[in-house]
Amino acid sequence: MIPERVSEEQWTRSLRRKRLRSLAPLHLNLHHRRQTSRAMADMTTDRASAGAGADRFVLRALAVPDFHKGFMQLLGQLTVAGDVSEAQFAERVQRLGDDHYVAVIEDMEKNQIVATGSVFVEHKFVRNCGKAGHIEDVVVDQSVRGQHLGQRIVEFLTRFAEDKGCYKVILDCTIQNSSFYEKCGYKKKEIQMAVYF
Amino acid sequence: MIPERVSEEQWTRSLRRKRLRSLAPLHLNLHHRRQTSRAMADMTTDRASAGAGADRFVLRALAVPDFHKGFMQLLGQLTVAGDVSEAQFAERVQRLGDDHYVAVIEDMEKNQIVATGSVFVEHKFVRNCGKAGHIEDVVVDQSVRGQHLGQRIVEFLTRFAEDKGCYKVILDCTIQNSSFYEKCGYKKKEIQMAVYF
């Protein structure tokens, strides 16, 4: 049965992803964070399905040493990153709980972080005390754009949220970036509003 | 100095809110959850500034007994609420941490929850490891709409996030509801995209 508010196309895609997962081999590249077996299979899928770039561009969880691999500078291509110390960075990484995952792609030739995105799981009361995933802060380094690294990040984060039991994943983006997210399976829904202090 | 990306109008409003807070008297109506002194002052402000409806409509944090005051039925006016047991509800209330606040307005004449909204604080890496507030699941009971209860909820949640140190608060809504959020100080920014499982 197709769940409410899911198009047939989305549902087919979801089933295809589940099939891919079940076939995933077990070559893992995990750093730092405890993973569930499902998330480990996801990572493996990501590597295995990434083709020729898989050996050069490795997707994994953010780790403390990434402070010296250009992670904050990469975020600076997205918005104001600020002047974060190594200690502050390490503290923030270490306080990421099980419901907050920051994915990175490392360029193994240059030992640099070249793509990132995060997802956190909101525990709600609606939908039978359901969960919703929120994707934030997706950015790919200018030098490696056009190689589908952003899509790898977003698809990984989406699967992560699905495996956590989320009934949906949402994100906000500019009109210009909406076609990119459509390639990742997302559809336009509402509008975002904001207040800045 | 007006912070980056904040309009003068937003900044003026923010200052006005801060002034209101500093003048707030201390008649509190707190249930159940531990509050910071700032948030307590906020609640007081909300009551004090609410005019004639303040005695009948009291804003406070969600509490376990609200299961019997129509909280889940109220959410059912927003989306699928589901069939949540009292034990499941209590567990969910009790696991709300310091970064997740569910506000409710109780109609003291009927002992019913007639408005709600939530905000949670996302800990980011951008903006000097800054914080962003996310407002979700705002709904006002059909029988009491037009009495500015939704505005009280949203303005309270916005202040809560500001007091937590957030540099912004964001939310998603329909085009039709955007004028309501504009009255609460919000401006249209991006678009929301979603995938449902």
Side-chain angles (χ1 to χ4, degrees):
Chain A
M1 188 182 125
I2 299 177
E4 188 198 8
R5 296 169 74 177
V6 177
S7 72
E8 189 175 359
E9 180 195 347
Q10 285 172 332
W11 187 240
T12 306
R13 188 180 304 111
S14 173
L15 288 178
R16 192 168 64 239
R17 279 204 303 268
K18 285 186 169 112
R19 278 198 299 274
L20 274 174
R21 265 203 300 273
S22 70
L23 297 170
L26 284 170
H27 309 296
L28 302 176
N29 189 296
L30 297 180
H31 287 221
H32 184 68
R33 295 189 60 205
R34 182 165 42 88
Q35 304 295 333
T36 65
S37 58
R38 289 290 293 280
M40 289 166 81
D42 276 352
M43 275 202 182
T44 310
T45 305
D46 179 82
R47 273 202 102 182
S49 64
D55 290 333
R56 178 175 170 192
F57 297 115
V58 175
L59 190 154
R60 57 170 171 78
L62 177 68
V64 174
D66 294 335
F67 182 77
H68 295 292
K69 294 181 178 179
F71 176 75
M72 292 302 297
Q73 290 76 11
L74 176 64
L75 288 180
Q77 295 182 37
L78 179 70
T79 183
V80 177
D83 186 21
V84 172
S85 71
E86 186 171 2
Q88 194 181 1
F89 180 80
E91 184 189 349
R92 180 55 48 93
V93 171
Q94 282 155 0
R95 77 170 280 172
L96 290 169
D98 287 342
D99 285 336
H100 196 172
Y101 192 99
V102 181
V104 295
I105 292 180
E106 180 173 354
D107 180 342
M108 303 305 285
E109 290 180 4
K110 298 179 179 174
N111 296 323
Q112 286 287 303
I113 304 303
V114 293
T116 184
S118 70
V119 66
F120 60 88
V121 176
E122 174 201 0
H123 294 254
K124 297 173 87 77
F125 285 88
V126 301
R127 301 272 180 154
N128 280 307
C129 290
K131 302 173 192 170
H134 296 252
I135 287 182
E136 293 278 335
D137 301 334
V138 176
V139 59
V140 176
D141 186 76
Q142 287 173 336
S143 68
V144 291
R145 288 183 191 166
Q147 299 188 58
H148 307 292
L149 300 184
Q151 195 167 340
R152 282 176 65 187
I153 289 276
V154 172
E155 290 181 353
F156 173 83
L157 296 174
T158 306
R159 292 201 307 270
F160 177 89
E162 186 182 10
D163 285 349
K164 281 280 184 182
C166 293
Y167 68 90
K168 71 173 180 182
V169 183
I170 60 175
L171 57 86
D172 298 311
C173 67
T174 61
I175 294 272
Q176 292 73 27
N177 283 339
S178 61
S179 59
F180 161 72
Y181 287 106
E182 282 167 354
K183 287 179 197 160
C184 303
Y186 285 75
K187 295 201 167 176
K188 289 178 196 143
K189 191 154 180 286
E190 297 190 324
I191 61 168
Q192 182 211 36
M193 303 195 74
V195 62
Y196 284 77
F197 304 116
Chain B
M1 187 180 127
I2 299 177
E4 188 198 8
R5 294 169 75 179
V6 177
S7 71
E8 189 175 359
E9 181 195 348
Q10 286 172 333
W11 186 239
T12 305
R13 187 180 304 112
S14 172
L15 287 178
R16 192 168 63 238
R17 280 202 303 267
K18 285 187 169 112
R19 279 199 299 274
L20 276 173
R21 264 203 302 270
S22 70
L23 296 170
L26 285 170
H27 309 296
L28 302 177
N29 189 297
L30 296 180
H31 288 224
H32 184 68
R33 293 189 62 205
R34 181 165 45 88
Q35 304 294 333
T36 65
S37 60
R38 290 291 293 279
M40 290 166 81
D42 277 352
M43 274 202 185
T44 310
T45 305
D46 180 84
R47 271 203 102 181
S49 64
D55 290 334
R56 178 175 169 192
F57 298 115
V58 175
L59 191 154
R60 58 169 171 76
L62 177 68
V64 174
D66 295 334
F67 182 77
H68 295 292
K69 294 181 178 179
F71 176 76
M72 292 302 297
Q73 290 75 12
L74 177 64
L75 288 180
Q77 295 182 37
L78 179 70
T79 184
V80 177
D83 185 20
V84 172
S85 70
E86 186 171 1
Q88 194 181 2
F89 180 80
E91 184 189 349
R92 181 54 47 92
V93 172
Q94 282 155 1
R95 77 171 280 170
L96 290 169
D98 288 342
D99 285 336
H100 196 171
Y101 192 100
V102 181
V104 295
I105 291 180
E106 180 173 353
D107 180 341
M108 303 306 285
E109 290 180 4
K110 298 179 179 173
N111 295 323
Q112 286 288 302
I113 304 303
V114 293
T116 184
S118 70
V119 66
F120 59 88
V121 176
E122 174 201 1
H123 294 255
K124 298 172 87 76
F125 285 87
V126 301
R127 301 271 181 155
N128 280 307
C129 291
K131 301 173 192 171
H134 295 252
I135 287 182
E136 293 278 336
D137 300 336
V138 175
V139 58
V140 176
D141 186 77
Q142 287 173 336
S143 68
V144 291
R145 287 183 191 166
Q147 298 187 57
H148 307 293
L149 300 184
Q151 196 167 339
R152 282 177 64 187
I153 289 277
V154 172
E155 289 182 353
F156 173 82
L157 296 174
T158 306
R159 292 202 307 269
F160 178 87
E162 187 181 10
D163 286 348
K164 280 280 186 182
C166 292
Y167 69 90
K168 71 173 180 181
V169 183
I170 61 174
L171 56 86
D172 298 311
C173 67
T174 61
I175 294 272
Q176 292 74 26
N177 283 339
S178 61
S179 59
F180 161 72
Y181 286 106
E182 281 167 355
K183 287 179 197 158
C184 304
Y186 285 75
K187 297 202 166 175
K188 289 178 195 142
K189 192 156 181 285
E190 297 190 323
I191 61 169
Q192 182 210 36
M193 303 196 73
V195 62
Y196 284 77
F197 305 116

